[in-house]
Amino acid sequence: MPDAPTPRLVYDAFLITAYHDFYKPAVAPRVIGLGLGAALLAELVFSGHLAVRSHEGRDLVLSEPRGGPPRDSLGLWLTELVQGEPEHLAVPDWLEYLAIADTQTKTAEHMVVAGLMVRGEQRSRWLGKVQVTYDAADALIAQAPLARLRRYLSTMDRRMPLLDAFLLALTEAVGLSKSLYSQMPSGAREYAEGHLRVLPAPLQAIRGHLTAAVADTAITGNL
Amino acid sequence: MSAPSPASAVQSALARDKLGTLSLLHFSLTAATPLTVIAGGVVVMFAVAGQIGIPLGYVIIAVSLWLFSVGYTAMARHIANAGAMYAFVARGLGRVPGVAAAWVAATSYCALQASLYGLLGFTAQGLIARAGLDLPWWVWALVAWALVGLLGTRAVDINAKVLAVLLTVEVAVILMFSASNFANAADGLSFGAFAPTALSGEAAGAVLALAVIGFIGFESPTVYGEEARDRKRTVARATLATIGVLAFVYIASSWSIITAVGDDQVVAAATGDLDLMFTLAGEQLGSAWVTIGQVLLLTSVTAAALSFHNTTARYLFALGREQVLFTWLGRTSVRTCAPVAASVTQTVAGGLVLVLWAVLELDPVVHLFYYLGTASGIGLIALILTCAVAVLVYFARDRRDESAWSARIAPVLAVLAMAGVLYLSVLHFHTLLGVEKGSLLPKLVPIVFAALALLGAAWGLFLKRARPEVYAGIGHGAKAPLVQAAERAAVPVGAAGER
């Protein structure tokens, strides 16, 4: 199986949460939105465009004035939204917003431009409505992010890069632990836990709020 | 002149996505299934209690729960995981009593849900036998059990739509039957059912306990506290409206049955005919309405079983997420995000009860629906009382800008009211079960719940000593991992600082 890395965390998160194949199902639509929101936030925190700071018990998302704006429109969109807010909003608020702001379609359109997805249209036979679909341009590349994480877990011979460690945390948080750990050698969970425990505090905060938001979705049934 | 502050695009979008009072009312009313309570419970209350004070019992419980809801919804504004009563207990009285309350709550909801299969099997058996297919009650109960088990593991919004349609039809039929009863009064409109003497003696506690069960579901708007448009007002309004709507339906329908049959005859009529409500509808509106009513009762009990199934599954899921019970209970379905492990666990528990009752050839109505249902009622009343005490203690420490009415007066009155209801329910539990005073069974139920609470408390103490990070997350539900992570990260060198 090829291990060609896709260029961005949010693309990897899309392929893991929204792409379904024989080995892995797609997660519930709202959870996809939450997962992509968490990935986009984490990506911008990692690149230094956003910061997460704890203030009076809340994990607030702040714009980082250092450096220029993100070069891609997806990152720029979120960064400008953060800058445009009159008050700093907390991570759960941003996750909630990104889940309802159709981040899935925005990400998919980006991936079409990047050549990773192919846009299609299906006309409903009964209702006559046109439904837009996004399919992987190459099924093997679409499977690459999960395959990469599983290879880390199966070999356990090297340290995972930080963004892959966060991707692993995200995969667990959206409920795909079974796809991740199935048929892994003993010690894989401890190896993963060792990486997750040392995630930087902002990424830990995003991970924790993503886990809580997914659990809230299960409790309230707000899909 | 200062420029107005720019509007928040994100907060505006989030506000548009929030739930209003009517949406929350919809969720809570679909959790209650009024036809099950009226057709399956009210007529039996006349028969068991031998009194006509059922409407008065509903008035007393509605007022008690309204008093309770004042402090309950006030506290819900200040805590996370406000959907579960054990979380209130954990925050008000401490985590150890919180675990004890969680064990009692999970068992009570589980038992209440399983008990409904008795009424469901019995109703289906009678209805379908008339169509020529005579099979034992447990066959139909198992069919419903499989359906509920399947729906429980699917996306919950499908369930909500199913429940909403059923509820609308149910309420319309109840109001039509009630209006017909009032229009065909035996001796004119009587207010005897509201006289204090109409609810007295050995049966008062039994009536009150059964009345409380009819309102279970009123607490559910707090689950959606974080999604409410105005957390301060929306949840409180929806909870109050739920109690008000249910009280109106229960009081009107039970009063209408008394009016149609007569003060002096209603107890004998109910004792002789447990389908009294449908019989009256058949006489007044035509025989087709008997069948329509029974079919609706069947769907109503199924909806009730589904509703309590979801409630129990969410309780177990939250406890799994907190690692208070088995961690695997916190697993969700990948595709639907439903709490699938907790749902399957509840299905297995219900199935075991059904098989046990069928093998022992116990009566589905008396031994399953009444015994198990009323026993769970005792547990739920104890839970509400403990929660009321927790609210009182929570606000005694700090009023948190709540009014004296919300933080002091209403909680005190609620504790007194619910303590009275629990005392009478336990004292008169033998009436509820239809056994002699002093016999073993009525004593056994409170003892079982007390033992469960003690075991839960012991488990809480174990967690406190052996797994402090898990202990820290008790009562936080979905947010427990955040609290547990903070507990793990807390180091004695005061490294909290800025991220």
Side-chain angles (χ1 to χ4, degrees):
Chain A
M1 187 166 290
D3 193 21
T6 45
R8 295 181 55 176
L9 175 64
V10 72
Y11 292 174
D12 283 351
F14 183 93
L15 293 173
I16 282 182
T17 58
Y19 183 74
H20 64 95
D21 58 24
F22 180 76
Y23 303 99
K24 178 193 69 61
V27 301
R30 181 178 161 80
V31 179
I32 294 175
L34 291 169
L36 292 179
L40 192 53
L41 279 174
E43 198 177 79
L44 291 168
V45 166
F46 190 74
S47 64
H49 292 101
L50 296 179
V52 174
R53 291 204 178 89
S54 187
H55 179 68
E56 294 179 351
R58 298 174 74 216
D59 292 311
L60 301 177
V61 177
L62 291 84
S63 172
E64 284 281 273
R66 294 194 302 269
R71 271 185 257 171
D72 76 292
S73 61
L74 200 59
L76 190 63
W77 166 67
L78 182 54
T79 311
E80 287 183 343
L81 275 175
V82 173
Q83 286 168 347
E85 281 304 296
E87 291 174 3
H88 299 309
L89 298 180
V91 174
D93 294 329
W94 282 108
L95 291 180
E96 177 73 26
Y97 175 74
L98 292 168
I100 62 171
D102 207 8
T103 312
Q104 185 179 352
T105 306
K106 289 184 176 75
T107 310
E109 289 290 349
H110 264 253
M111 294 174 75
V112 169
V113 175
L116 292 166
M117 305 294 284
V118 177
R119 190 177 191 276
E121 288 185 355
Q122 280 182 345
R123 184 174 290 277
S124 165
R125 185 180 294 177
W126 305 109
L127 301 174
K129 285 183 181 172
V130 175
Q131 194 181 3
V132 177
T133 59
Y134 297 94
D135 293 314
D138 185 327
L140 291 178
I141 289 178
Q143 291 162 0
L146 188 66
R148 193 170 70 241
L149 295 180
R150 283 177 58 83
R151 196 157 72 189
Y152 285 122
L153 294 171
S154 61
T155 57
M156 294 185 277
D157 58 353
R158 58 193 161 122
R159 186 121 201 106
M160 240 186 283
L162 188 58
L163 280 183
D164 275 343
F166 183 79
L167 187 64
L168 187 138
L170 186 148
T171 309
E172 277 191 1
V174 297
L176 285 167
S177 296
K178 197 174 169 187
S179 303
L180 201 55
Y181 293 107
S182 171
Q183 296 181 324
M184 284 294 117
S186 63
R189 282 183 187 270
E190 288 73 18
Y191 168 80
E193 189 52 41
H195 282 80
L196 301 185
R197 208 179 297 125
V198 295
L199 280 176
L203 297 187
Q204 284 285 13
I206 296 171
R207 175 202 179 195
H209 287 294
L210 173 63
T211 307
V214 172
D216 262 337
T217 302
I219 287 174
T220 59
N222 178 17
L223 295 174
Chain B
M1 198 170 77
S2 65
S5 63
S8 161
V10 173
Q11 284 183 328
S12 301
L14 289 175
R16 278 197 299 276
D17 199 46
K18 295 288 183 189
L19 300 170
T21 305
L22 279 178
S23 302
L24 294 189
L25 185 63
H26 161 80
F27 286 126
S28 57
L29 284 180
T30 48
T33 44
L35 192 61
T36 301
V37 175
I38 293 161
V42 166
V43 178
V44 174
M45 284 161 81
F46 284 119
V48 169
Q51 300 182 0
I52 62 167
I54 312 303
L56 180 62
Y58 278 118
V59 170
I60 292 170
I61 292 302
V63 171
S64 303
L65 293 181
W66 167 65
L67 287 169
F68 167 74
S69 74
V70 173
Y72 175 71
T73 53
M75 185 168 164
R77 292 191 277 268
H78 302 284
I79 65 167
N81 189 27
M85 284 198 199
Y86 78 90
F88 286 74
V89 177
R91 299 298 290 273
L93 301 179
R95 294 182 179 91
V96 171
V99 180
W103 283 39
V104 171
T107 309
S108 301
Y109 279 116
C110 188
L112 186 57
Q113 198 262 350
S115 76
L116 290 170
Y117 290 124
L119 179 64
L120 201 150
F122 174 77
T123 308
Q125 184 188 26
L127 193 67
I128 297 169
R130 287 218 298 269
L133 186 61
D134 197 2
L135 291 171
W137 69 270
W138 50 263
V139 173
W140 304 115
L142 281 174
V143 170
W145 168 80
L147 179 70
V148 168
L150 184 70
L151 281 174
T153 55
R154 311 300 299 171
V156 184
D157 64 333
I158 296 173
N159 298 352
K161 284 169 193 160
V162 173
L163 293 171
V165 172
L166 291 174
L167 175 82
T168 308
V169 178
E170 267 180 53
V171 172
V173 167
I174 291 167
L175 292 179
M176 190 178 73
F177 284 7
S178 301
S180 170
N181 284 338
F182 280 121
N184 293 279
D187 309 309
L189 197 59
S190 167
F191 289 90
F194 294 98
T197 51
L199 187 66
S200 59
E202 291 285 285
V207 169
L208 296 177
L210 285 168
V212 169
I213 295 173
F215 283 93
I216 294 299
F218 78 96
E219 74 281 15
S220 58
T222 53
V223 173
Y224 304 94
E226 289 183 21
E227 294 167 41
R229 199 164 287 157
D230 178 351
R231 199 172 179 188
K232 194 170 171 81
R233 294 191 183 89
T234 310
V235 171
R237 277 185 197 149
T239 308
L240 183 61
T242 305
I243 294 170
V245 169
L246 290 177
F248 171 75
V249 171
Y250 296 157
I251 292 165
S253 60
S254 56
W255 189 19
S256 80
I257 292 173
I258 298 169
T259 305
V261 181
D263 288 4
D264 301 330
Q265 288 86 39
V266 70
V267 170
T271 309
D273 179 11
L274 289 179
D275 283 335
L276 180 61
M277 189 178 170
F278 300 136
T279 305
L280 289 171
E283 288 168 2
Q284 296 160 8
L285 301 167
S287 58
W289 286 99
V290 177
T291 308
I292 292 170
Q294 285 180 331
V295 169
L296 278 174
L297 175 60
L298 196 61
T299 57
S300 174
V301 186
T302 310
L306 184 57
S307 168
F308 283 114
H309 177 94
N310 289 335
T311 305
T312 313
R314 286 169 189 163
Y315 245 99
L316 295 175
F317 171 79
L319 294 172
R321 279 282 161 142
E322 290 179 10
Q323 301 178 42
V324 170
L325 285 182
F326 307 107
T327 311
W328 50 264
L329 286 170
R331 281 187 204 145
T332 53
S333 157
V334 173
R335 287 189 182 86
T336 65
C337 203
V340 67
S343 179
V344 170
T345 303
Q346 167 62 17
T347 301
V348 170
L352 287 175
V353 168
L354 271 181
V355 169
L356 188 67
W357 256 249
V359 168
L360 296 176
E361 296 183 348
L362 294 170
D363 187 87
V365 178
V366 175
H367 297 128
L368 185 51
F369 180 57
Y370 292 130
Y371 278 21
L372 208 58
T374 51
S376 65
I378 296 287
L380 291 170
I381 293 169
L383 180 69
I384 295 172
L385 172 61
T386 314
C387 188
V389 174
V391 171
L392 189 62
V393 173
Y394 181 81
F395 284 122
R397 287 197 291 263
D398 182 355
R399 241 171 74 177
R400 293 165 194 264
D401 298 329
E402 295 291 345
S403 66
W405 166 248
S406 300
R408 298 271 193 274
I409 302 167
V412 168
L413 294 174
V415 168
L416 292 174
M418 293 314 300
V421 171
L422 181 65
Y423 173 73
L424 286 175
S425 302
V426 173
L427 194 68
H428 299 163
F429 196 43
H430 62 281
T431 313
L432 212 56
L433 298 178
V435 297
E436 287 296 314
K437 191 175 185 179
S439 56
L440 178 65
L441 194 58
K443 291 177 188 161
L444 203 59
V445 172
I447 290 171
V448 166
F449 279 118
L452 267 172
L454 283 174
L455 282 173
W459 181 245
L461 285 170
F462 167 77
L463 290 175
K464 185 178 185 179
R465 174 171 285 197
R467 300 173 68 188
E469 78 285 356
V470 172
Y471 182 77
I474 291 172
H476 289 270
K479 292 176 182 62
L482 282 167
V483 180
Q484 289 165 356
E487 181 72 13
R488 273 192 293 270
V491 285
V493 277
E498 267 197 345
R499 285 197 164 96

